[in-house]
C-alpha cells in the first residue's frame, strides 16, 4: 500500500521535469514548501497532473471520492470509508471492474509526483518503516486516477502486486505503488492510449536498481508529534532487524 509520501521538490522543478505549468500562480507559494512526510490519512492537497489537462500541475485532495458526491460529502465520506483505506489507494487489478475506478480508468488518469514514499516492514510483531526514493534526489511518478467533486479533484494512488524487492520490504501486504518511467507517464496521460496499453502499464514494475531504500525513525508512526521535518528522512539502523533484503 502507499499511505505516506514525501515531496521536497519545488513547483519549478516539477514544471521543468514534466514540461508543465502550475494551474494558477497563487498555488506556487503553497506547494513550494518541502514536505518530508505527507500522511495520506490527513487527506492533504498534493499537486497532480490530470489527464484532462496534462499540461498543468493542479491541486488534488488525496483520497478519491465517488462521482455523484458533493463538496459537503467529502469529509463524511472519508470518515465512513476509513476502514477501506479512505480512497487513498486503488488496486490496479480492479481498475476496470471496481465501480469507483472503471470509468476513471479510461478518462481520468493522473500522475502524482513525489520524491519518495514510506512502506512498513514487519518482523517479530514489530514494524520498521522504510523510505524508498530514486536515490538520486529525482522525482518519482506515481500512477493514479481521479474524480472531480464540484471544484475539487480527489485522487487515489494505484498499487500493484509487489516486485521481489517490495515483497521483502512490505512483507505483510506485499503491495507497492505503481511507479511509471518517462515513457509510461506519456502513455498514462495520453487520452488515446487503449485499454490494452493501460493493462500493460499496470502490470509492469519500475526497475528495482533505480530505487534506494533504507529504514527510518519509528517517529513516523507517532500520532502525538508533527513528523513533517527533514530528519524524518534520515537513515536509522535497527540492531534487531537482522535479515538482509538480499
Amino acid at each position: 500500500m502507499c499511505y505516506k509520501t514525501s515531496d521536497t521538490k519545488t513547483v519549478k522543478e516539477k514544471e521543468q521535469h514534466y514540461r508543465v505549468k502550475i494551474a494558477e500562480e497563487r498555488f506556487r507559494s503553497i506547494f513550494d514548501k518541502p514536505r518530508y512526510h505527507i500522511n495520506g490519512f490527513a487527506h492533504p492537497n498534493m499537486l497532480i497532473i490530470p489527464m484532462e489537462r496534462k499540461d498543468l500541475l493542479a491541486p488534488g485532495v488525496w483520497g478519491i471520492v465517488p462521482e455523484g458526491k458533493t463538496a459537503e460529502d467529502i469529509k463524511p465520506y472519508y470518515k465512513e470509508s476509513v476502514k477501506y483505506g479512505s480512497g487513498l489507494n486503488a488496486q490496479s487489478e480492479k481498475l476496470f471492474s471496481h465501480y469507483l475506478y472503471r470509468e476513471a480508468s479510461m478518462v481520468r488518469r493522473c500522475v502524482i509526483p513525489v520524491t519518495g514514499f514510506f512502506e512498513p516492514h514487519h518482523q517479530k510483531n514489530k514494524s520498521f518503516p522504510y523510505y524508498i526514493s530514486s536515490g538520486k534526489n529525482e522525482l518519482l511518478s506515481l500512477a493514479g486516477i481521479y474524480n472531480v467533486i464540484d471544484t475539487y479533484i480527489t485522487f487515489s494512488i494505484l498499487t500493484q502486486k509487489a516486485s521481489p524487492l517490495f515483497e521483502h520490504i512490505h512483507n505483510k501486504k506485499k503491495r507497492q505503488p505503481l511507479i511509471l518511467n518517462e515513457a509510461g507517464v506519456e502513455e498514462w496521460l495520453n487520452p488515446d492510449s487503449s485499454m490494452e496499453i493501460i493493462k500493460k502499464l499496470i502490470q509492469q514494475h519500475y526497475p528495482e536498481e533505480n530505487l534506494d531504500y533504507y529504514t527510518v525513525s519509528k517517529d513516523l508512526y507517532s500520532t502525538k508529534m508533527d513528523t513533517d521535518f527533514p530528519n524524518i528522512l534520515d537513515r536509522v539502523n535497527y540492531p534487531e532487524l537482522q535479515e538482509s533484503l538480499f
Side-chain angles (χ1 to χ4, degrees):
M1 314 307 284
C2 184
Y3 297 145
K4 299 173 181 289
T5 63
S6 70
D7 177 11
T8 60
K9 294 292 187 181
T10 64
V11 173
K12 184 176 181 179
E13 287 173 309
K14 296 186 186 75
E15 289 175 323
Q16 292 175 338
H17 181 86
Y18 294 102
R19 299 181 294 279
V20 296
K21 291 293 183 182
I22 190 75
E24 295 183 33
E25 196 59 34
R26 63 190 176 93
F27 296 141
R28 187 176 299 274
S29 61
I30 298 173
F31 291 100
D32 259 343
K33 180 183 176 181
R35 292 191 286 175
Y36 304 95
H37 173 208
I38 304 172
N39 182 356
F41 284 103
H43 298 289
N45 278 285
M46 297 172 64
L47 288 178
I48 72 167
I49 306 172
M51 177 176 160
E52 292 169 297
R53 286 300 308 270
K54 60 181 183 178
D55 59 327
L56 297 179
L57 283 166
V61 184
W62 189 1
I64 195 168
V65 174
E67 290 187 284
K69 299 286 187 182
T70 66
E72 291 72 25
D73 296 327
I74 293 177
K75 286 186 178 180
Y77 176 79
Y78 288 150
K79 186 176 181 179
E80 294 168 6
S81 63
V82 66
K83 59 184 176 181
Y84 304 112
S86 292
L88 301 180
N89 292 167
Q91 292 186 20
S92 58
E93 297 90 336
K94 298 180 179 180
L95 188 59
F96 297 103
S97 59
H98 195 285
Y99 81 97
L100 187 52
Y101 313 152
R102 58 193 176 204
E103 183 176 347
S105 66
M106 294 308 296
V107 296
R108 290 187 298 277
R109 299 185 297 271
C110 64
V111 167
I112 304 99
V114 300
T115 47
F117 56 93
F118 303 87
E119 297 287 5
H121 177 77
H122 296 275
Q123 184 171 305
K124 297 180 180 179
N125 296 318
K126 294 181 180 180
S127 181
F128 301 86
Y130 269 83
Y131 179 62
I132 300 97
S133 68
S134 72
K136 299 178 182 178
N137 194 32
E138 296 175 350
L139 285 158
L140 293 176
S141 303
L142 305 186
I145 53 175
Y146 66 94
N147 281 331
V148 180
I149 307 300
D150 291 344
T151 59
Y152 296 94
I153 296 175
T154 66
F155 72 90
S156 184
I157 293 173
L158 261 66
T159 65
Q160 62 182 171
K161 183 179 178 181
S163 69
L165 171 64
F166 284 96
E167 275 194 359
H168 201 111
I169 292 177
H170 198 185
N171 58 336
K172 191 172 183 179
K173 297 291 187 180
K174 297 187 177 180
R175 304 286 298 178
Q176 69 174 90
L178 177 57
I179 309 170
L180 301 169
N181 60 23
E182 186 174 352
V185 167
E186 293 296 323
E187 291 180 317
W188 190 253
L189 294 176
N190 186 350
D192 295 325
S193 290
S194 65
M195 183 179 293
E196 288 68 29
I197 290 175
I198 300 306
K199 285 183 176 180
K200 182 178 179 181
L201 284 174
I202 63 178
Q203 292 171 0
Q204 294 177 347
H205 283 119
Y206 191 79
E208 295 178 347
E209 62 270 20
N210 293 344
L211 296 172
D212 189 33
Y213 47 90
Y214 54 84
T215 46
V216 296
S217 172
K218 290 186 179 182
D219 286 346
L220 185 79
Y221 300 142
S222 175
T223 59
K224 298 180 179 180
M225 61 184 295
D226 180 5
T227 52
D228 182 15
F229 57 89
N231 290 349
I232 201 67
L233 301 183
D234 289 350
R235 182 188 298 267
V236 174
N237 295 317
Y238 295 94
E240 65 269 39
L241 190 59
Q242 297 296 327
E243 63 178 283
S244 170
L245 287 175
F246 299 99

